[in-house]
């Protein structure tokens, strides 16, 4: 398969849905050719020394912590592999070695190999399981020294949990993916804390009391050293905006320290000042801000960051939300910083239809101006006709589509909708 054919096959596997569990990914990893760089062990897939694995779970801030951990390790001279999700524009964003996206040829080669080995499997591996296997195979081939892996959902049954980690990192736990993870914080925390492994260090952000109890219990059961990071990093500049990113930086630094990865003061300064993580309060220009906030907690943080940056200014908010999210709570969080909302139709099939989103405004805040626009392009054009700043938010899928449009990368629009 070439790159486009390989992606078409991969995206077609989305019909298999989301299946939480480790049996498929363990079988898949065992079936792939490998050399001495890793082996399947009782505690999960294990990379040979000196490779170290930083495994990150949580509800919000996972991607930022992963990006900072990767940037710090690279600044210290290590060869890194970074696996994150979802992508914004190109699938290749998910898999990076030393900051460089996996090539189209490597994607095509890796997916062709995987397809041949799983052609007749039942149950068939899911999209995320295949992407995880592709990433690990690429990191093995390129001989990475440090891997940074972001869970896709949950933790305990997430495909990335098939890997034996060197440190487990848990960012703030809040409500999201309730359909799969549970309807209460303690249920969600049990899934997230599932990345904690026997005698492997754990680094956690401050948590809600009910989540902290679960994390402490799991760490005690696993005899895993546990450290809560309570103080934000304030010693050097951080390229990512918002007070919350200072805590994310502190988590990343603590994770590296827990695995005995030496990062000098100079490397810390260079790493944090150069880290890039698009669509996280990304100031595109003096009028447009893009943020992938996609659940109530991240929307509240977004509103707080807006106030930190722009004081009492209000925004024209372009809002698109996926169907499985708590749209009403997201609207409530963003309402205090909004002058009006524009509700575009986006390309993702998972998006809540704009008319359904508009009904939330009609019921909760009928006096707040809002209108539906047929496309992202028309919404951005309409918003820019005003003098107020524009905030594009509600979904990472939407953020990716908006970035592709703003960059003029129209060929990427089909891919970023996946």
């Amino acid at each position: 398969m070439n790159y486009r054919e390989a992606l078409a096959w991969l995206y077609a596997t989305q019909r298999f849905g989301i299946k939480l569990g480790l049996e498929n990914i363990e079988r898949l990893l065992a079936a792939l050719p490998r050399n001495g760089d890793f082996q399947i062990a009782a505690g999960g897939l294990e990379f040979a020394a000196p490779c170290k694995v930083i495994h990150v779970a949580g509800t919000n801030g996972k991607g930022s912590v992963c990006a900072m951990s990767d940037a710090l390790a690279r600044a210290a001279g290590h060869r890194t592999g970074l696996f994150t999700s979802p992508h914004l524009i190109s699938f290749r964003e998910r898999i990076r070695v030393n900051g460089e996206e996996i090539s189209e040829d490597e994607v095509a080669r890796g997916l062709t190999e995987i397809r041949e080995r799983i052609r007749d499997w039942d149950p068939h591996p899911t999209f995320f399981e295949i992407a995880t296997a592709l990433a690990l195979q690429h990191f093995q081939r390129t001989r990475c020294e440090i891997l940074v892996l972001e869970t896709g959902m949950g933790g305990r049954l997430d495909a990335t949990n098939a890997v034996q980690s060197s440190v487990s990192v848990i960012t703030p736990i809040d409500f999201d993916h309730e359909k799969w993870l549970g309807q209460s914080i303690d249920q969600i925390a049990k899934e997230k804390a599932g990345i904690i492994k026997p005698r492997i260090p754990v680094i956690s952000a401050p948590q809600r009391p009910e989540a902290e109890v679960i994390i402490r219990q799991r760490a005690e059961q696993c005899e895993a050293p546990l450290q809560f990071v309570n103080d934000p990093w304030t010693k050097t500049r951080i390229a990512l905006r918002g007070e919350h990113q200072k805590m994310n930086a502190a988590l990343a630094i603590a994770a590296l320290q827990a695995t005995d990865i030496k990062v000098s003061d100079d490397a810390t300064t260079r790493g944090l000042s150069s880290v890039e993580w698009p669509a996280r309060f990304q100031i595109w220009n003096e009028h447009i801000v893009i943020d992938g906030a996609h659940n109530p907690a991240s929307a509240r943080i977004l509103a707080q960051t807006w106030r930190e940056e722009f004081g009492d200014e209000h925004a024209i908010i372009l809002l698109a939300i996926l169907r499985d999210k708590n749209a009403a709570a997201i609207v409530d969080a963003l309402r205090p910083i909004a002058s009006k909302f524009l509700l575009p139709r986006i390309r993702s099939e998972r998006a809540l239809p704009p008319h359904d989103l508009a009904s939330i405004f009609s019921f909760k805040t009928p006096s707040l101006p809002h209108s539906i626009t047929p496309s992202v392009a028309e919404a951005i054009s309409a918003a820019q006709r005003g003098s107020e700043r524009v905030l594009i938010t509600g979904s990472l899928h939407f953020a990716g589509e908006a970035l592709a449009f703003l960059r003029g990368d129209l060929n990427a629009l089909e891919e970023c909708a996946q």
Side-chain angles (χ1 to χ4, degrees), residues 10 34 43 46 96 115 133 137 247 283 286 323:
L10 178 61
R34 57 191 185 273
E46 190 169 308
R96 303 173 192 246
R115 185 184 69 167
Q137 190 78 347
M247 184 58 72
I283 297 181
E286 61 181 1
R323 283 193 302 270

Side-chain angles (χ1 to χ4, degrees), residues 40-282:
I40 304 298
L45 180 144
E46 190 169 308
F47 279 74
C51 186
K52 296 183 178 181
V53 179
I54 299 171
H55 194 198
V56 183
T59 303
N60 294 310
K62 291 182 300 179
S64 295
V65 170
C66 286
M68 290 182 190
S69 299
D70 177 76
L72 287 164
R74 283 192 285 122
H78 298 285
R79 184 171 181 81
T80 64
L82 174 64
F83 178 57
T84 59
S85 62
H87 60 270
L88 293 173
I89 298 175
S90 168
F91 172 82
R92 295 167 52 220
E93 298 168 24
R94 295 171 179 247
I95 303 170
R96 303 173 192 246
V97 171
N98 266 6
E100 295 294 323
E101 296 176 5
I102 185 172
S103 70
E104 291 187 358
D105 287 345
E106 282 295 318
V107 172
R109 181 175 77 160
L111 291 181
T112 298
E113 185 174 63
I114 290 172
R115 185 184 69 167
E116 292 306 309
R117 292 177 181 272
I118 66 173
R119 186 184 296 276
D120 300 321
W121 283 20
D122 185 18
H124 194 284
T126 64
F127 175 99
F128 189 73
E129 289 166 343
I130 295 168
T132 302
L134 175 67
L136 294 173
Q137 190 78 347
H138 184 59
F139 298 152
Q140 175 207 23
R141 285 174 173 153
T142 53
R143 299 189 177 279
C144 294
E145 299 172 303
I146 296 171
L147 306 187
V148 183
L149 307 180
E150 178 188 7
T151 57
M153 184 191 300
R156 181 176 66 93
L157 299 176
D158 189 84
T160 58
N161 208 29
V163 178
Q164 177 59 48
S165 56
S166 306
V167 62
S168 305
V169 183
I170 303 178
T171 68
I173 294 172
D174 216 303
F175 289 101
D176 202 3
H177 301 299
E178 291 95 326
K179 177 180 177 181
W180 293 278
L181 303 182
Q183 301 296 320
S184 66
I185 291 295
D186 63 337
Q187 288 176 321
I188 295 171
K190 286 177 183 177
E191 296 301 320
K192 306 286 187 181
I195 70 167
I196 298 174
K197 296 180 173 67
R199 293 171 293 281
I200 298 300
V202 184
I203 303 298
S204 176
Q207 303 286 352
R208 291 177 180 234
E210 56 269 49
E212 180 177 334
V213 167
I214 297 298
I215 292 170
R216 289 189 181 278
Q217 288 175 345
R218 172 68 180 174
E220 184 176 353
Q221 291 167 359
C222 291
E223 298 180 355
L226 172 61
Q227 176 188 354
F228 281 90
V229 176
N230 296 305
D231 297 322
W233 180 259
T234 58
K235 295 180 180 179
T236 59
R237 174 181 172 271
I238 302 170
L240 304 183
R241 296 174 183 268
E243 287 296 311
H244 62 290
Q245 296 292 4
K246 296 178 181 179
M247 184 58 72
N248 289 335
L251 287 172
I253 291 168
L256 293 168
Q257 291 173 342
T259 56
D260 292 325
I261 298 170
K262 306 301 181 185
V263 183
S264 67
D265 291 346
D266 177 65
T268 299
T269 299
R270 287 186 286 108
L272 293 179
S273 64
S274 63
V275 62
E276 296 181 358
W277 198 230
R280 279 70 176 183
F281 212 88
Q282 179 182 359

Side-chain angles (χ1 to χ4, degrees), residues 180 294 320-327 346 348-354 356 360 394-395:
W180 293 278
H294 57 280
I321 300 172
L322 300 188
R323 283 193 302 270
D324 61 341
K325 303 299 181 179
N326 187 340
I346 65 174
S348 175
E349 294 180 357
R350 295 172 55 197
L352 183 69
D356 292 351
I360 294 174
S395 161

